Each structure stands twice: as C-alpha cells, then as structure tokens.
Amino acid sequence: MATFINEPSRTFNEYLLIPGYSSAECIPANVSLKTPLVKFKKGEQSSITMNIPMVSAIMQAVSNDTLAVALAKEGGVAFIYGAQSIESEAEMVRRTKAYKAGFVQSDSNLSINSTLKDVIALKNKTGHTTVAVTEDGTSNSKLLGIVTSRDYRLSRMTEDTKVSEFMTPFEKLVYGKEGITLSEANDLLWNHKLNALPIISDDGRLAYFVFRKDYDNHKEYKDELLDSSKRYVVGAGINTRDYEQRVPALVEAGADVLCIDSSEGFSEWQKITLGWIKEKYGEDVKVGAGNVVDAEGFRFLADAGADFVKVGIGGGSICITRETKGIGRGQATSVIEVCRERDKYFEQTGVYIPVCSDGGIVYDHHITLALAMGADFVMLGRYFARFDESPSDKVSISGTYYKEYWGEGSARARNWQRYDLGGDKKLSFEEGVDSYVPYAGALKDNVAITLSKIRSTMCNCGSLNLNDFKKDAKLTLVSATSIVEGSAHDVMKKDSSLTRV
C-alpha cells in the first residue's frame, strides 16, 4: 500500500520568525553572511565559502557570464546555464574567469575597414566606449589602434568615416606586454592617466585589456568572491547525458563548481554522473546534485558523493510540475526535513553537506526564513531574471518595462536533458511556462536591499552569523488570518494621482 503523509506540507509564507534578545553589538554592520558552498569534514573549512548566501539558477533566462560577474562582485555564485553547446558554456566560464584577473578579453572589436556607424552600433549593443581595431576585427588578431569616445565628434564626422581616420593608431598607444603583472599594468594606467591599457603579445596581437574601472571596482566591492588567483568564482550546470564531454570542457575552462541540473535528483542517472566525476577527478572537482524534497533523497545523493544538495520540486514561479505531474512538496517542509537529515548525516559521518533551497522564494523575507530553517544558501531564478545583467530581453508593455523569463521545462527552453527519463530527445509536455517579470534595474542595488533586510532580521533574532541563526532561530506557524494581518489593512493607501482639495 502507498505511504501516506497526512500532515500538510508548508510554504515559506506560512511561517514567521519570533524575535530574540538582541545585544548592543547586534547591529547589521556586524552580521556575517558567510556560508559554505561545498561539503567539508568536521574541524575543517569548506574549500569554497561564499560571502552571501545567494546563487543564481541554472537557467537560460538567468545565468550567463554577465550575471556571473555581477553576482561574484557581491559575494555569491552564478551557475552558467547548461542548455547550450558545450563550447559556448565553456566560453562563458572563461570570460567570467578572465574578467576579475584584471586581464579582460576584448568583446568590442572592429576592423580597419569599419566606419563610425559601426562604432556607434557596437557601443549601443555592448555599452562599451573602448573599441579595439584589429587586423581582422577579432579579439586576438594584430592590434592596429583603439577608438574611444574622445576620438570622434558626431558633429564633425559622417557615419561613413573610416575608423582609420580617427582612431588612436598603435604607434601612439601606451600598452603593456603579455606577462606584465596586474600591479604593473595598474601603474601604467595611473601614470599615463588612461582608462584602458591594451596588453599585447610578442607578435603584436591583442591579448587583453586592463581597465581602470576594475581597480575602482575592487575598492567598491568589499565582498567580491575570488579564487586563489584573484579571479571571480563561477559555477556551471551539467546534465546526466553528455557529462563525459561537458565536464572536462568546463573544468578546463576554469569552473570552480558544477551542479547537475535536473528536475528530480533521486535517480540512478545522478548517481552514475556523480560516480563518474568522482572517479575521474576525485575531490578536485566539486559538484552539487538535486533536486530532492525529503530525507531519503538527501541521503541518497550524499552517499553518491554530492558536494551540496538542492532542495525543491515544483516551487519555482515558472514551474508547473505539480499541476502537470502531481509531484512535489511545500518548500518550507522540504527544507526543514532535508536540513534535519543533513545534521544527522554530519553527526554520523563527520561530513557536512550544505543544503541549497531552490524555489518558493516570493519575497525577500522568504530567503531569511529558508536560512533560519537550516538552508546554507538559496538558489534564485525569478529574482535575478529581473535585473540588467540577466541575458533575457527587456520589453515595454503598456509603458512598463519587463524582462522575459521562461522555465527550463517550457517549450521555449527545450531543455529536454533536465526532464528526460531515458526517452526521446524531446519534451512530450511542458513543465514550465514562458512569462515576464517586472524589470528591477541593476543587480547590485537590489541585492544590497535584500541583504540589508536579512541582516536586520538576524539582528532582531539576536544572531550575528548564519550558524547561530540556524541554531537559535524560533519560527511559528501562522494562520491565513494572521497572514492578512501582517500586511497593510483597513486603510486606503495614498495614491499619487489624487489631488488635495
């Protein structure tokens, strides 16, 4: 006979935190949000510790290299989406790793035959004001000159003016030779009052740029997450089909951590994939797995070698798995049960395997609740899809801006590897929708607000770090009536369109 769990599974919206004693030192500025990303043994530290408990979802509409850089600057990790060719995913990883090293590969390049019209079009597309003019218009050919906004005046030129007429030619450029240190490159930038310094190979080819803004960014982003070589940390998604080809390419590109992207993780496919990676690379390659919703699923992936475990099925804003297949579980209940099993596993084995809560986040305070329930970090899709840095298009609908956002189980994504159970390479039905989310601006500004809320709430509960918060937090179930009570009620909110009389 089937097993019945007659207690209802709960969502984050059904819980509230009860305030605890706050000492005088319990102020947001003193709160640490550091958290482990991958497993570690008792008495040791995780080989990757994030400065904030946030990672981005492995989704086409969310995680490319642009968002990866922006999130790493804030202290989190993006997982580059895997529903693309192996080569293009590996290239996104390379670009992310190259960015922070200070030596940035140029992605704004033109040839000597290009015109001012081409310069303007490229600037409008990329937002970059520094354009390399190379022999064949690619990023690694012989450098002939550089164009910046100071080199041309639209009022004095026509769109057909050749770049050769207004660029700064190579002979007049200040440049560094490949092999120069970042410190030496920065000295050249400052001494010559430059915004960009090209780095040239021995045969005159453009290798990298070093930008003055990167030096300024380093001072601005106090929590940026760097590897041992001072490069941004980045993750990458894999599947259980082409992992034998994809994993080596991503490892070679520099990915710091991998994660199996699957709708359901309690499967032999994930066990086989984890086993292959660990046999080939040992503990040198870190890989998360999931998703699961109960203790049994966690234990299965832990024993299979997962470095972290993702929790959640059917809770995403664009996920329709529950209504199409009838499987899933309330996110809060799933996180609570899996984290209890995580702690039990730690007591028994001395190995701590971080838990990632994936899905069910509607409001910022739901992140705080997930952490209080035991999650080490949260994975967010809709949250990050709203920002400038996500790869989806921004559209205007009735004068309001939105970003496109679609699920990996939607017909648009066609990510059959994520949902395949060994059958044909197609989606026989959809488990995700195609949608829009309100445009919210820059990642940095929004993440800062979210983190300030988390830190403030932790202070209200008397905790200065996430370990204490998970241990000491008190949570209470709330009724439907108290949920209504917790919002503005029995008043008429002010409307800016109303006029005083």
Side-chain angles (χ1 to χ4, degrees), residues 24 64 67 85 128 149 167 214 258-259 268 292 379 386 456 480:
N64 64 351
L67 189 126
S85 71
H128 300 160
S149 57
M167 71 180 187
D214 286 344
L258 307 175
C259 184
E268 187 175 5
V292 297
M379 177 172 278
R386 303 173 300 147
S456 180

Side-chain angles (χ1 to χ4, degrees), residues 40-90:
F40 58 92
K41 293 181 180 179
K42 187 175 183 179
E44 300 179 357
Q45 289 186 336
S46 175
S47 61
I48 306 177
T49 297
M50 296 189 294
N51 293 323
I52 64 172
M54 301 169 74
V55 301
S56 68
I58 311 169
M59 300 177 69
Q60 299 166 42
V62 178
S63 297
N64 64 351
D65 51 299
T66 305
L67 189 126
V69 169
L71 184 52
K73 287 179 178 179
E74 303 304 321
V77 173
F79 283 87
I80 303 293
Y81 69 90
Q84 58 180 315
S85 71
I86 295 172
E87 294 75 19
S88 60
E89 184 181 10

Side-chain angles (χ1 to χ4, degrees), residues 132-187:
V133 180
T134 63
E135 198 168 51
D136 63 4
T138 65
S139 62
N140 295 117
S141 64
K142 187 175 181 180
L143 182 66
L144 303 179
I146 289 178
V147 174
T148 70
S149 57
R150 293 182 297 181
D151 292 322
Y152 59 88
R153 296 292 182 268
L154 298 180
S155 60
R156 301 176 185 176
M157 300 178 184
T158 68
E159 289 187 339
D160 295 327
T161 304
K162 298 281 189 180
V163 295
S164 58
E165 296 182 29
F166 58 86
M167 71 180 187
T168 302
F170 180 78
E171 296 76 21
K172 295 184 178 180
L173 290 175
V174 176
Y175 59 87
K177 295 300 291 287
E178 197 168 16
I180 190 175
T181 68
L182 185 57
S183 177
E184 291 168 340
N186 282 325
D187 287 341

Side-chain angles (χ1 to χ4, degrees), residues 171-300:
E171 296 76 21
K172 295 184 178 180
L173 290 175
V174 176
Y175 59 87
K177 295 300 291 287
E178 197 168 16
I180 190 175
T181 68
L182 185 57
S183 177
E184 291 168 340
N186 282 325
D187 287 341
L188 285 174
L189 283 170
W190 284 95
N191 292 339
H192 293 275
K193 298 180 173 61
L194 303 173
N195 290 322
L197 178 75
I199 306 300
I200 310 301
S201 65
D202 289 337
D203 58 359
R205 294 176 177 271
L206 176 62
Y208 305 101
F209 272 107
V210 175
F211 293 100
R212 183 168 180 164
K213 66 179 178 62
D214 286 344
Y215 178 86
D216 296 331
N217 283 344
H218 181 69
K219 294 187 296 182
E220 180 181 359
Y221 296 100
K222 304 296 185 183
D223 289 325
E224 60 183 356
L225 189 59
L226 308 175
D227 65 15
S228 58
S229 298
K230 306 300 182 184
R231 302 174 301 174
Y232 282 134
V233 173
V234 62
I238 62 173
N239 60 68
T240 59
R241 292 294 157 190
D242 65 5
Y243 57 88
E244 292 187 21
Q245 296 77 42
R246 190 173 294 268
V247 170
L250 296 174
V251 171
E252 189 277 331
D256 298 278
V257 59
L258 307 175
C259 184
I260 301 174
D261 182 27
S262 174
S263 62
E264 204 279 299
F266 197 174
S267 75
E268 187 175 5
W269 302 115
Q270 294 218 7
K271 182 179 180 181
I272 293 171
T273 303
L274 288 167
W276 183 88
I277 293 172
K278 294 303 180 181
E279 181 179 357
K280 182 175 178 64
Y281 295 101
E283 292 305 316
D284 292 335
V285 171
K286 306 299 182 182
V287 55
N291 288 17
V292 297
V293 295
D294 61 7
E296 189 178 5
F298 171 85
R299 181 69 67 151
F300 172 81

